[in-house]
Amino acid sequence: MRVTSKMMVNNINLEISMQSELLLKTQKVIASQKKVQRASDDPIAMGKILNYRESISSIDQYMDNIIQGKTRFEFSETIFDSAMDLSARAKNISVNESSGTYETRQAAAVEIQNIRDQIVSLANSKMGENYLFSGHQTDTPAFSHHVEISGGVAANIDFGLAADATDTTIDIKDASGSVVRTITQGDFVTPASGGTMGANSVVWNGLDTWGALLPDGSYTFEVNSNDSNAGVRVIDYETYNGDSGDIEMMMGDGVNLKVNVDGNTAFTDLFYRLSRLQQGLEDPNLTNGTIQISGQVNALEAAHDQIAYVRSEGASKYNRLEVSESQYDKLKINIQDMLSDEEDADMATAIMELQSMQAAYETTLATAAKIIQPSLVDFLR
Amino acid sequence: MSNIIGLLDIGRRAILQHQTAIQVTGHNIANANSEGYSRQKAVLEAAIPISLSPGQVGSGVETTEIKRIYDKFLTAQVNSEKHGLGRWEAQRKGLERAEIVFDEPSGFGLSQAMADFWNAWQDLTNNPSGHTERVNLLAKSQNMTSSFNKISSDLMRQQEDLDTSIVGTVNEINNITGKIAELNQKITETEVTGLKANDYRDQRDLLLKDLAEKIDFDSFEDNYGKVAVFAGNGRTLVDDSFSWNLTTQTNINGHEDIMWIDGDGNLNNITAEIDSGQLKGWLEVRDVAIDDYLTRLDDLASTMITQVNALHTNGFDLNGTAGIDYFSGTSAFDIDVNVNIANDVNLIAAATTAAGVPGDNSNALAIANLNNGLFMSAGTATFHDYYNSLSSDVGSGVGEAIQYYDHQHAMSRNVDNIRESVSGVSLDEEMMNLVKFQHAYTAAAKLVTKVDELIATVMDMGR
């Protein structure tokens, strides 16, 4: 076949260009340590790579969620632990004081008051900005003498009493602590009497002492309650302010886990019993007091067991989260391996390829130099 | 009886013809690197002999023609391969550019942005009233919507760029066909006188090769040396010494259609009739590939908008009011986070009931779960699966175009090489020719000197 110099030059150009393109590509693979530089290099691998990356991202998020869930359960666990200690102590007091004297009972009453205050503050624990045991009302303490009004809509003032009362006064206070309204016997619509043992609810229309509508917001109140027949004061206790909403977390695709405990379930009965116990301890009539005190022994045991129950529910959920966490750990490692298989370049292979390509390139250049230079012109005189 | 003056004549002719031969060799050498040049050869033949009594006596050499060495079947094949080469090169470049827009291998593409978006909703479920979580969700949402916007507008801009290329190429085609028509005229005029218009033909062939890369056509040469060129379904581009023009017209999609102007000045839409060449490559990328990508991207964005908004408007924000639309816009081009939410993250509706605010995270849970929902491809694919298959298809498209291009390139190169082998100038060969003709020239000159001596001898005889 007739070969002209132009043909040889064109061919050499093309070969050199093809080889330098391959060299460039290999160099990019080595620099980035990724086999797949563009989707077109291997579309199927690219598809797998995107899938693996998404799985890893998903797993990371679920593990994040799990850690937050575990923290919450750990925190709740310590709270329940303390609450159980306190309620066990209260039960012991009730056993002891069933046959106690007036002096011991007075001292015990003070101790019960302290126990009540401590458990209230435990029940109102916050994690970050949110109250743990208020259901969905995470901006409201679970147990407090607290009423919210908005837009002139009448609100309920909820509180509990340890015994029937003959007169009850409620002082409503604003944020600075000054009394804005006092509700007395006469304002009670229900109950018609001064208050009954157990939960009570009074309606307040949001008006202050002079009949003006107070600004929207939350107000605290103080209850003073007496039984004038027995000549004793009636102990009031905080009722539950939250709701029964469930707070769930995502621990897997379509798998949700409830992480909150409703304060009502855990603590309401305990507060009622503790205040009844205190009422009994304070009763100057020892006989009546004994009846009241001994009546609380079994109930306090039951309230103590109730807390134990929610605590163990939390513990088993915590275990479930731990199992998931370790499964995700293993799964993530597997997927990362598979991703690396598809995506990462084997450096040894790539570098060897680079070297052999370099050798080929240099050979081509040397050969080219030898072929294209001489022509007949050099040899004619 | 021989003629001494005749001898001189033989010598004269030999010198002149060899001079011509050397001139042709020189022309070849000068044009060794000219694009599209076919080597020429002076055909030297023995001149008409004179009949004398002993027999016929030769009367020297004459040049019958200067022949252009070329193979017309090869030329047709070269052009045919150029159609394919032009098309696949244009298609490959266009698709590669579209692939860059998706930018998946780097890990910063839309796939990651979408994953981050769904994760941010899950973060919100862990603390629905948290300001940080809301701000983070807003940021990730905006990141995702910007990615959608950017991919969409980049693809659209690429379509506009293709339109510009198409318009430019149509103008070049008109230029070329005009020149071919002119050359038709020149060639006919020259060849009517019996001379071969070698260089004009080379020029015309080069123009046809150039044209072949741009658009596919059929051509044939008639007995008068004129080439007629037809594109599409028999639309005449060049006939005799006239050319017909192409032009462009904006269609309902806002892109350029290719129109042929017929003899009466009417515009005929030949866009669908073009099968190869750069124009076809660009049309394929613009109207088939990128359109498909944009449609699928829009589908993804609009489904996401619909699903998220449906849940979000059912929920309640931190103020206890019903949720507004989370996303504004209807397609990948204009999807954005609702400007009211961007200004106040408290409007993000994480709760399903007004009373459940602020701790209720069930709406946020439901929205986060959309990630696992089968909303795409008639209820068979998740958002991620759908996008994954889209970007896979982008990659496969490029891969396929590269394969076709490589094949076409190799074919084209082979045919070019064969043509070069037949018509190309080999400097070694020309050097040999130079030596050959020079020797003959020198010998002829010697002949003239000898004849001169003979004549001098004859003159001396008469004294």
Side-chain angles (χ1 to χ4, degrees):
Chain A
M1 177 172 124
R2 195 171 158 269
V3 173
T4 65
S5 45
K6 200 159 163 216
M7 276 165 72
M8 293 205 293
V9 165
N10 281 348
N11 272 347
I12 287 170
N13 267 344
L14 196 66
E15 253 119 54
I16 290 181
S17 142
M18 270 167 42
Q19 290 196 336
S20 24
E21 199 181 318
L22 279 175
L23 264 176
L24 181 63
K25 198 159 169 214
T26 311
Q27 186 265 329
K28 270 196 204 165
V29 167
I30 291 178
S32 66
Q33 305 201 10
K34 299 246 177 285
K35 266 191 296 201
V36 182
Q37 294 289 320
R38 305 184 305 170
S40 51
D41 287 344
D42 190 348
I44 295 181
M46 192 71 233
K48 287 193 203 162
I49 288 172
L50 287 183
N51 270 340
Y52 295 148
R53 282 191 193 155
E54 202 243 353
S55 298
I56 290 176
S57 171
S58 210
I59 288 175
D60 279 341
Q61 181 63 42
Y62 287 137
M63 283 176 75
D64 230 1
N65 295 349
I66 286 176
I67 288 175
Q68 294 203 37
K70 277 171 69 177
T71 310
R72 189 184 178 125
F73 282 126
E74 282 164 15
F75 194 30
S76 311
E77 157 78 17
T78 51
I79 291 171
F80 290 139
D81 191 36
S82 304
M84 278 172 74
D85 283 344
L86 289 167
S87 68
R89 171 90 189 109
K91 184 203 146 198
N92 282 345
I93 290 177
S94 71
V95 167
N96 291 342
E97 294 306 324
S98 301
S99 52
T101 64
Y102 182 73
E103 287 76 23
T104 56
R105 282 188 183 181
Q106 294 310 307
V110 173
E111 196 176 342
I112 293 295
Q113 177 71 51
N114 282 340
I115 288 176
R116 272 181 57 206
D117 289 340
Q118 281 188 57
I119 298 184
V120 164
S121 83
L122 282 174
N124 291 339
S125 300
K126 269 173 135 174
M127 202 164 89
E129 293 294 311
N130 302 323
Y131 287 101
L132 281 178
F133 300 109
S134 306
H136 284 162
Q137 306 301 319
T138 52
D139 55 353
T140 320
F143 291 92
S144 65
H145 283 323
H146 166 103
V147 60
E148 272 196 35
I149 51 164
S150 84
V153 176
N156 287 332
I157 296 185
D158 297 313
F159 59 96
L161 289 175
D164 288 337
T166 53
D167 53 276
T168 305
T169 320
I170 302 178
D171 287 323
I172 302 177
K173 300 180 182 173
D174 65 12
S176 61
S178 38
V179 178
V180 293
R181 174 73 188 273
T182 303
I183 296 186
T184 58
Q185 200 86 5
D187 304 313
F188 278 33
V189 176
T190 55
S193 65
T196 53
M197 177 170 80
N200 288 273
S201 187
V202 176
V203 173
W204 176 44
N205 48 17
L207 301 182
D208 69 7
T209 322
W210 295 278
L213 185 61
L214 285 162
D216 289 355
S218 66
Y219 296 82
T220 53
F221 59 86
E222 212 178 82
V223 177
N224 283 309
S225 195
N226 295 303
D227 182 352
S228 44
N229 296 336
V232 292
R233 75 165 180 146
V234 173
I235 312 263
D236 64 279
Y237 61 92
E238 293 88 345
T239 50
Y240 185 61
N241 281 330
D243 62 24
S244 56
D246 288 341
I247 297 183
E248 293 185 320
M249 62 161 269
M250 288 176 78
M251 58 183 279
D253 283 354
V255 180
N256 294 343
L257 182 68
K258 176 173 162 185
V259 292
N260 69 326
V261 174
D262 165 5
N264 205 16
T265 320
F267 295 114
T268 300
D269 196 50
L270 181 61
F271 289 136
Y272 174 57
R273 295 295 166 192
L274 286 173
S275 61
R276 295 271 297 136
L277 175 59
Q278 190 179 353
Q279 183 79 30
L281 288 169
E282 285 182 0
D283 199 336
N285 180 332
L286 288 179
T287 323
N288 289 347
T290 307
I291 299 172
Q292 187 130 323
I293 291 169
S294 51
Q296 305 313 315
V297 171
N298 287 339
L300 278 173
E301 176 93 30
H304 174 268
D305 289 344
Q306 177 67 10
I307 298 181
Y309 173 69
V310 295
R311 181 181 176 183
S312 70
E313 261 197 344
S316 68
K317 286 182 184 171
Y318 183 83
N319 280 341
R320 194 175 153 195
L321 287 179
E322 278 206 316
V323 167
S324 272
E325 194 181 13
S326 82
Q327 281 177 343
Y328 277 136
D329 254 335
K330 291 193 201 119
L331 186 59
K332 183 174 170 181
I333 291 177
N334 277 343
I335 296 183
Q336 276 174 331
D337 274 346
M338 294 199 287
L339 176 62
S340 169
D341 249 353
E342 290 294 336
E343 190 176 44
D344 292 339
D346 176 12
M347 290 306 284
T349 316
I351 291 181
M352 277 189 354
E353 269 181 22
L354 180 70
Q355 286 181 333
S356 71
M357 269 184 220
Q358 260 180 325
Y361 183 62
E362 281 169 24
T363 314
T364 310
L365 288 176
T367 319
K370 281 217 173 335
I371 295 179
I372 61 176
Q373 278 173 21
S375 80
L376 203 48
V377 185
D378 302 327
F379 293 102
L380 286 176
R381 269 182 299 106
Chain B
M1 196 90 77
S2 61
N3 186 343
I4 207 164
I5 303 299
L7 264 180
L8 260 183
D9 206 42
I10 289 179
R12 176 191 65 97
R13 270 198 179 168
I15 289 176
L16 287 176
Q17 299 312 325
H18 281 95
Q19 205 173 307
T20 309
I22 289 180
Q23 185 159 6
V24 171
T25 305
H27 186 63
N28 281 346
I29 293 175
N31 283 299
N33 292 324
S34 302
E35 182 79 43
Y37 178 76
S38 311
R39 68 193 163 108
Q40 293 170 6
K41 185 168 153 178
V43 180
L44 300 173
E45 280 181 5
I48 304 170
I50 306 175
S51 302
L52 294 179
S53 50
Q56 288 197 319
V57 175
S59 58
V61 70
E62 66 177 7
T63 313
T64 45
E65 66 164 323
I66 298 186
K67 190 166 156 178
R68 176 174 167 249
I69 311 292
Y70 95 119
D71 180 341
K72 78 171 170 199
F73 299 110
L74 259 184
T75 309
Q77 210 176 341
V78 162
N79 286 346
S80 158
E81 298 302 338
K82 276 275 178 270
H83 295 326
L85 187 65
R87 173 192 173 166
W88 288 111
E89 181 159 14
Q91 207 160 324
R92 188 199 78 179
K93 285 202 181 133
L95 288 176
E96 278 177 348
R97 209 179 128 190
E99 183 187 42
I100 290 177
V101 168
F102 282 91
D103 188 26
E104 282 310 323
S106 72
F108 295 112
L110 184 56
S111 181
Q112 188 63 41
M114 287 200 298
D116 286 345
F117 169 71
W118 296 118
N119 283 348
W121 276 104
Q122 284 197 36
D123 280 338
L124 185 64
T125 66
N126 292 331
N127 186 8
S129 53
H131 186 72
T132 320
E133 283 81 358
R134 285 168 177 254
V135 168
N136 179 45
L137 171 59
L138 175 66
K140 295 291 192 289
S141 307
Q142 288 174 325
N143 195 20
M144 183 185 76
T145 55
S146 312
S147 289
F148 267 117
N149 298 151
K150 181 164 189 305
I151 294 180
S152 181
S153 70
D154 276 353
L155 286 176
M156 285 188 200
R157 186 169 45 236
Q158 194 179 347
Q159 284 181 320
E160 284 168 19
D161 286 349
L162 288 170
D163 278 338
T164 312
S165 298
I166 287 175
V167 168
T169 302
V170 159
N171 286 338
E172 280 171 29
I173 290 176
N174 289 341
N175 218 349
I176 292 176
T177 51
K179 287 191 192 151
I180 292 177
E182 273 175 31
L183 281 173
N184 272 349
Q185 182 69 15
K186 285 190 191 154
I187 290 173
T188 315
E189 282 171 3
T190 312
E191 296 193 349
V192 130
T193 62
L195 303 175
K196 283 281 181 207
N198 289 331
D199 291 322
Y200 285 152
R201 279 174 177 270
D202 275 347
Q203 274 181 37
R204 189 175 63 184
D205 274 352
L206 195 58
L207 285 171
L208 282 169
K209 187 166 146 184
D210 211 3
L211 185 65
E213 204 164 336
K214 300 183 189 329
I215 186 175
D216 59 323
F217 60 79
D218 295 312
S219 71
F220 65 88
E221 185 176 329
D222 67 9
N223 295 332
Y224 301 104
K226 295 198 166 96
V227 155
V229 177
F230 303 97
N233 291 347
R235 315 285 185 174
T236 317
L237 290 183
V238 178
D239 192 19
D240 201 336
S241 37
F242 305 108
S243 66
W244 280 255
N245 277 344
L246 296 177
T247 183
T248 56
Q249 194 185 61
T250 317
N251 62 19
I252 43 168
N253 297 328
H255 297 306
E256 300 297 326
D257 272 349
I258 297 165
M259 318 294 283
W260 176 67
I261 309 176
D262 68 14
D264 301 322
N266 299 324
L267 296 183
N268 299 284
N269 192 337
I270 63 166
T271 312
E273 296 171 18
I274 299 177
D275 283 332
S276 200
Q278 277 176 337
L279 283 180
K280 179 68 175 172
W282 287 328
L283 287 171
E284 277 289 302
V285 174
R286 186 191 79 189
D287 293 340
V288 178
I290 294 187
D291 253 10
D292 178 45
Y293 302 155
L294 280 172
T295 307
R296 284 157 85 168
L297 208 63
D298 282 342
D299 210 4
L300 180 63
S302 71
T303 310
M304 223 188 249
I305 294 173
T306 313
Q307 293 300 328
V308 171
N309 281 352
L311 284 176
H312 198 256
T313 46
N314 251 348
F316 291 87
D317 63 23
L318 265 188
N319 302 323
T321 36
I324 55 179
D325 277 344
Y326 188 78
F327 286 124
S328 59
T330 51
S331 70
F333 182 67
D334 57 10
I335 180 177
D336 200 0
V337 176
N338 189 329
V339 64
N340 295 320
I341 291 183
N343 288 332
D344 181 8
V345 293
N346 289 342
L347 296 180
I348 298 179
T352 353
T353 55
V357 169
D360 184 1
N361 64 355
S362 40
N363 206 30
L365 274 173
I367 294 181
N369 253 324
L370 287 177
N371 186 20
N372 302 321
L374 301 172
F375 297 109
M376 305 302 300
S377 302
T380 57
T382 64
F383 293 122
H384 174 82
D385 289 340
Y386 190 73
Y387 180 71
N388 201 352
S389 73
L390 169 58
S391 77
S392 261
D393 284 350
V394 173
S396 313
V398 175
E400 185 193 48
I402 290 181
Q403 267 193 338
Y404 276 119
Y405 170 74
D406 283 345
H407 165 76
Q408 200 56 46
H409 193 207
M411 290 288 293
S412 193
R413 212 181 95 214
N414 274 340
V415 174
D416 275 346
N417 268 351
I418 297 177
R419 186 207 161 268
E420 182 64 22
S421 168
V422 168
S423 309
V425 171
S426 165
L427 285 178
D428 296 343
E429 209 177 65
E430 301 303 323
M431 284 297 115
M432 289 308 308
N433 286 344
L434 208 51
V435 169
K436 188 170 78 176
F437 294 136
Q438 189 194 18
H439 278 316
Y441 185 90
T442 317
K446 237 352 180 207
L447 176 64
V448 169
T449 317
K450 286 289 170 222
V451 170
D452 187 43
E453 286 174 20
L454 287 179
I455 293 177
T457 314
V458 167
M459 292 299 165
D460 272 345
M461 271 167 47
R463 250 189 290 126

